[in-house]
Amino acid sequence: MPDERSVQMTDDERDEFLRHGGTGVISFETDEGEPPYQLPVSYGFDVDGGAFYFRLSFAPDAEKEGVVDEDRPVSFVAYDRTDGGWRSVVATGRLKEVTEAEIGTEAAEAMRNVEIPIVDVFDRHPREVTFRFFRLDADDVTSRKEARSES
C-alpha cells in the first residue's frame, strides 16, 4: 500500500504550478479573537518577479473594502490536483494596490492570467461593482506536493 505524504516543491516546480494562474483563498488578519476574513479569488503570477496579482471586486458598502484597505497581513493559498498529485502554495505578506500604469510587461502578463469567472454573485447590477488590482510581494512562500512511495 502506498505511503502518501507531502514534500516541498522545487522552485521550478512551484513556478510551473503557479505560472498559469488559477484560484485560491486569500485570508486577511482580523482583530484578536476573530476568525480571519477569507475570500475565494482568482490570481495571476509573475514568475520573473515572484509577485501574485489579484483583481478584487467591491460592491458599494462592502465589508471587504474596509478589510483590504487597512494594510492587514494576508495569507494566500493556491492548491490543485495535477497529473502528479496534489500541489499547494502558501504565500504571506501584505497587499499593495496597483494601477495598470504601474505594471511592467511581465506583471501585465501575470494580470492577464487572472481569469474572473463570469458568474453573477452580486446582489447588484455589475455596473455597480468596482474592480481594483492588487499585488502581493510575498514575505514568505512555502510549497508542498504529494509524494508517494511504496512501503
Side-chain angles (χ1 to χ4, degrees):
M1 184 162 163
D3 173 31
E4 295 193 0
R5 55 190 163 80
S6 66
V7 296
Q8 187 170 336
M9 283 189 252
T10 66
D11 290 350
D12 288 343
E13 289 172 323
R14 179 200 63 218
D15 291 349
E16 183 58 32
F17 173 73
L18 296 170
R19 177 178 312 281
H20 302 292
T23 58
V25 176
I26 193 165
S27 300
F28 295 84
E29 183 180 87
T30 56
D31 296 328
E32 190 174 325
E34 295 293 319
Y37 184 82
Q38 300 177 330
L39 296 168
V41 294
S42 297
Y43 74 93
F45 182 69
D46 175 10
V47 172
D48 294 328
F52 295 85
Y53 289 88
F54 307 96
R55 180 180 172 214
L56 303 181
S57 60
F58 295 88
D61 305 320
E63 173 186 6
K64 182 188 323 176
E65 193 152 21
V67 173
V68 172
D69 286 341
E70 292 186 25
D71 191 36
R72 297 171 188 249
V74 301
S75 64
F76 171 67
V77 179
Y79 58 93
D80 201 3
R81 184 173 186 96
T82 69
D83 291 341
W86 284 99
R87 303 282 191 261
S88 66
V89 173
V90 177
T92 59
R94 294 179 188 270
L95 292 183
K96 178 183 181 219
E97 188 164 8
V98 293
T99 65
E100 289 192 52
E102 295 175 300
I103 300 169
T105 305
E106 295 85 12
E109 182 62 34
M111 288 185 72
R112 282 192 274 284
N113 286 333
V114 180
E115 296 181 22
I116 305 301
I118 307 300
V119 179
D120 187 3
V121 295
F122 305 105
D123 61 354
R124 308 174 183 283
H125 192 283
R127 287 188 203 126
E128 295 178 37
V129 178
T130 302
F131 290 93
R132 294 165 47 199
F133 291 95
F134 292 87
R135 180 180 73 225
L136 172 60
D137 293 316
D139 296 329
D140 187 49
V141 178
T142 58
S143 60
R144 306 295 293 171
K145 67 179 179 179
E146 181 179 354
R148 298 178 185 176
S149 61
E150 295 298 323
S151 298

